[in-house]
Amino acid sequence: MAKRKEGNPYTQRFFEHFPMEGDILIQVLRGHLLVEEVLRELLKLHMKNPGAIKGTSGASFDCHQVICLNDAFIDTPKKLSWVWNSAKKLNKLRNDLAHKIPTEALTHKVNDYIETTQKGFYIDSGFPVEKYDDDYPLLYDSILCLYVSVCLIKEQSNINVCT
């Protein structure tokens, strides 16, 4: 895949590290990693002393906890409220792929994640459906939509925290 030079650092990072042609396992694992990275940065923005949870006497939050804490701390715009549910579904999908042998139920979970994210991004967020790019497979597009939306929430939070 060709590296894209345009865009902000988040989209550059996504296109550098996300395998568009990868199999479902690598796409979910890599996509989850990219989303979780931003979620953890976002959570730190809302802490007065993020260093207090670091180190051996600190706290270790799993991804589900990070998602829930962000949802609790952030006054998310209504048009982006779908993000937390979508992130939880991606996290569950990642856990199932990492800890279980794939079954037919996996296809249902992938489709459920895709449907939740596509509806959230293209309908709830107000993006016209005709903007969907058919060149991107739905799982790829859904992970990209979630990633971009989490980055947007982080950028908006960063502005609000700093002012």
Side-chain angles (χ1 to χ4, degrees), residues 76-94:
T76 310
K78 184 168 176 51
K79 68 180 185 177
L80 291 172
S81 62
W82 62 271
V83 165
W84 310 120
N85 187 34
S86 183
K88 288 175 187 174
K89 288 184 182 204
L90 180 61
N91 185 57
K92 174 79 171 118
L93 186 56
R94 193 234 39 100

Side-chain angles (χ1 to χ4, degrees), residues 45-104:
L45 280 176
H46 292 276
M47 295 179 182
K48 292 184 190 236
N49 182 11
I53 64 168
K54 288 184 177 179
T56 56
S57 63
S60 177
F61 298 112
D62 65 33
C63 187
H64 183 81
Q65 292 168 324
V66 170
I67 295 165
C68 291
L69 287 168
N70 275 311
D71 189 11
F73 289 150
I74 298 168
D75 185 19
T76 310
K78 184 168 176 51
K79 68 180 185 177
L80 291 172
S81 62
W82 62 271
V83 165
W84 310 120
N85 187 34
S86 183
K88 288 175 187 174
K89 288 184 182 204
L90 180 61
N91 185 57
K92 174 79 171 118
L93 186 56
R94 193 234 39 100
N95 288 341
D96 286 352
L97 280 167
H99 300 290
K100 298 176 185 173
I101 301 292
T103 64
E104 285 184 28

Side-chain angles (χ1 to χ4, degrees), residues 1 8 18-19 23 56-58 75 80 83 91 119 126 141 161 163:
M1 176 160 109
N8 67 39
F18 191 91
D23 66 12
T56 56
S57 63
D75 185 19
L80 291 172
V83 165
N91 185 57
K119 179 185 176 298
D141 185 68
V161 169
T163 57

